[in-house]
Amino acid sequence: MRFFRKGSAGAAVADSEASDDPDSDGSPVDDVDRTFLKCTTSDREICHLKFCCAPWICCLTCCGITCLLLAIAIGGLAYAGWSLVSLEKNRMNCHDPNMTPLEFPRNNGCLCRTGYKTDAELKKCLSPCTSLDFVLGWEKQAKALGYKLVFFPSRTGPKGEKPVNISAWWLPPAPRLGVAPKDQPRIVALHGLASNNNHCGVQATCFLLRSMGYGCLTPSVRDFGLSGKSDHPSILTWAYDYHMDLLGAWDYAVKDPDGIMGGASTPAKVGIAGFSKGALGAALAFGMDRQVPGAWLDSAPFSGLDFMIHSVIQQYAGFLTPPIAGTVNFWAKTLGGGLVDYYDAWKVLENCSGPARHVAVSQGWFDDNVPVYEGDKAMELFNGLPHCYKAIEYTPPEYCNGQKHHQEMWEFPDDTREVMCNFWTETFGQTTDYCALASLPKYQLWDPPKSLPPGTPPLKVNV
């Protein structure tokens, strides 16, 4: 094939460069083709065409392709942002809300498949994380102590939204000799992302708490479980209103308006706990209501969704993280209707006054769902405000079958129970004898740092 250009008289003049195209027959192009083929070798190389097009066609084509790819990329990032705030796309951890606390120990999907399992099946799928005795003890407790489904109003929303009807399981404590039920402390425990009050961390932790004489109230936030609908039924909020559901539950636990807990308590005897995203809600509730005497914050993403987006994308995108994460966050906030990162937990907690209240920060060493430096940063804040907070930190080496996120309650149940006993008895002004730890069954299979489940990464322990 030969390429042609126009001569001064309009005749076709052969270019000196011959083509290596095996399909070329060496014949010149017709006059119509010559009208459009005014180009250079560089144009041909850029466009990769059999015939070289005019520069403006080449530019338009390249620009069009670039714009199309950019539109696809923006659309993908917008979809990613939407998926983070879409309620329907965030129910993956939800157990059946009608599953009772009696059914939960044997039917939950925390470490095994969801559904009824025989003892033999449980023993196999729980290994090597925890023992069959743990589940059997949990099941025995549920039968002995009972439970009740309750409903109550949340607090008013941040913008004056009307209260929502919240559902919760009331899980009575093991009795204590000489202590009236109304005088036994109560703890309100909030579930994490894409879940309800039938949440693995909540229910397993309450098993440990109940054995030590602490009652548990476990609410489902609005739009989840058996709780009522919000004014944003399609949006999963972040740091906006779920802590109002927790505070509504705390009000209910203090007042016991239905008389199911043995009578009204006092604010000083009712604490709160939260797990993962629920711990963010608990941190906000703790910071906003200074009557709450203590909070157990397990694996909390204190910095909100924006931080979580950056921390995840940074693992893959490197220097491209800021524009990618910023775009995803923009769409999450925009499509979330301004209900994302409405409150800044750090600022809420910094705006404090005495007397000092008790707070526990719990997070596994190897947690990669929520970066461990969130817990480190929280301890820096709490320890830097000693007139506001008395803080402890619990950092168990949680790792079993690849799971690393708030699973200390079944992997290290004895250690966890002891730490919680120390924390809550100090919070409520009790002695540790109240927990009766010496009389409780032992369930723990591992003894860190001496022994840990197979696959656990090496520990760096200062001796």
Side-chain angles (χ1 to χ4, degrees):
M1 173 182 177
R2 290 178 178 272
F3 290 91
F4 292 82
R5 64 177 183 270
K6 286 274 194 174
S8 58
V13 180
D15 227 332
S16 60
E17 181 179 342
S19 170
D20 294 329
D21 187 346
D23 296 331
S24 173
D25 58 4
S27 60
V29 296
D30 59 30
D31 290 339
V32 175
D33 288 336
R34 286 199 291 272
T35 304
F36 297 96
L37 298 181
K38 184 177 181 181
C39 61
T40 66
T41 302
S42 59
D43 292 327
R44 184 178 76 256
E45 292 174 345
I46 292 174
C47 295
H48 300 288
L49 297 174
K50 185 174 182 179
F51 305 117
C52 183
C53 62
W56 65 272
I57 296 179
C58 181
C59 292
L60 286 178
T61 301
C62 293
C63 288
I65 293 173
T66 301
C67 290
L68 177 61
L69 293 175
L70 184 60
I72 292 173
I74 293 175
L77 296 178
Y79 180 79
W82 167 243
S83 68
L84 295 173
V85 297
S86 167
L87 205 62
E88 286 307 311
K89 294 186 178 298
N90 285 277
R91 296 187 184 276
M92 70 287 288
N93 297 324
C94 287
H95 283 94
D96 181 354
N98 295 297
M99 186 187 298
T100 69
L102 178 57
E103 297 169 323
F104 193 82
R106 188 172 290 271
N107 290 271
N108 71 70
C110 304
L111 294 174
C112 309
R113 63 170 178 81
T114 303
Y116 181 86
K117 295 167 283 292
T118 65
D119 286 359
E121 290 175 308
L122 282 170
K123 186 175 182 179
K124 182 177 180 180
C125 65
L126 293 173
S127 178
C129 303
T130 193
S131 65
L132 175 62
D133 288 343
F134 179 85
V135 173
L136 296 180
W138 187 359
E139 193 173 47
K140 180 180 179 181
Q141 181 196 80
K143 291 178 181 178
L145 299 181
Y147 59 90
K148 188 172 181 62
L149 179 65
V150 298
F151 294 87
F152 46 82
S154 70
R155 289 194 184 176
T156 302
K159 299 178 181 178
E161 297 94 336
K162 63 182 181 180
V164 177
N165 194 36
I166 301 300
S167 66
W169 294 117
W170 164 241
L171 306 173
R176 286 291 178 266
L177 186 65
V179 182
K182 72 180 184 66
D183 295 325
Q184 290 188 262
R186 303 159 188 171
I187 297 166
V188 184
L190 189 63
H191 61 84
L193 176 68
S195 187
N196 54 40
N197 57 2
N198 279 340
H199 174 272
C200 298
V202 167
Q203 294 298 327
T205 298
C206 285
F207 163 48
L208 302 179
L209 288 170
R210 297 173 83 187
S211 69
M212 296 188 291
Y214 298 109
C216 265
L217 186 66
T218 64
S220 291
V221 298
R222 60 192 67 195
D223 300 316
F224 284 89
L226 302 177
S227 292
K229 298 296 181 184
S230 69
D231 293 337
H232 50 80
S234 64
I235 301 298
L236 176 78
T237 69
W238 278 76
Y240 181 70
D241 54 3
Y242 293 153
H243 59 284
M244 298 302 186
D245 305 338
L246 175 58
L247 287 172
W250 185 82
D251 294 337
Y252 182 86
V254 171
K255 298 173 183 177
D256 186 22
D258 297 326
I260 64 168
M261 303 177 182
S265 183
T266 65
K269 293 291 185 182
V270 182
I272 61 175
F275 300 82
S276 196
K277 186 173 180 288
L280 170 61
L284 289 169
F286 187 57
M288 291 181 180
D289 194 325
R290 293 170 188 170
Q291 293 186 91
V292 180
W296 179 277
L297 308 177
D298 194 328
S299 312
F302 292 94
S303 300
L305 181 59
D306 183 19
F307 165 79
M308 289 302 297
I309 291 172
H310 276 78
S311 65
V312 172
I313 292 177
Q314 190 172 28
Q315 301 176 43
Y316 309 98
F319 72 94
L320 293 176
T321 296
I324 295 175
T327 303
V328 173
N329 186 55
F330 167 80
W331 286 110
K333 288 187 173 182
T334 300
L335 299 175
L339 307 182
V340 173
D341 294 343
Y342 185 82
Y343 288 106
D344 183 330
W346 301 117
K347 292 181 179 178
V348 170
L349 292 166
E350 287 169 358
N351 182 25
C352 65
S353 61
R357 297 179 295 152
H358 297 269
V359 58
V361 176
S362 175
Q363 189 163 17
W365 281 25
F366 309 113
D367 193 350
D368 54 10
N369 285 49
V370 176
V372 294
Y373 49 82
E374 278 288 88
D376 295 339
K377 184 178 178 181
M379 285 303 297
E380 289 179 7
L381 183 147
F382 293 135
N383 288 332
L385 298 169
H387 62 291
C388 296
Y389 305 108
K390 295 179 180 178
I392 70 162
E393 186 174 25
Y394 179 41
T395 56
E398 305 165 44
Y399 187 100
C400 194
N401 291 340
Q403 300 301 311
K404 314 169 192 176
H405 188 53
H406 68 64
Q407 64 162 20
E408 72 279 0
M409 57 287 295
W410 52 75
E411 188 175 350
F412 306 113
D414 301 339
D415 291 349
T416 300
R417 188 157 48 186
E418 183 176 358
V419 173
M420 289 196 299
C421 174
N422 291 333
F423 174 73
W424 287 116
T425 53
E426 185 175 353
T427 298
F428 298 133
Q430 304 168 301
T431 66
T432 55
D433 292 341
Y434 177 82
C435 303
L437 291 178
S439 66
L440 297 177
K442 305 300 181 185
Y443 299 118
Q444 193 163 311
L445 299 178
W446 307 100
D447 182 21
K450 297 177 183 177
S451 65
L452 291 166
T456 301
L459 298 181
K460 296 180 179 179
V461 181
N462 295 324
V463 180

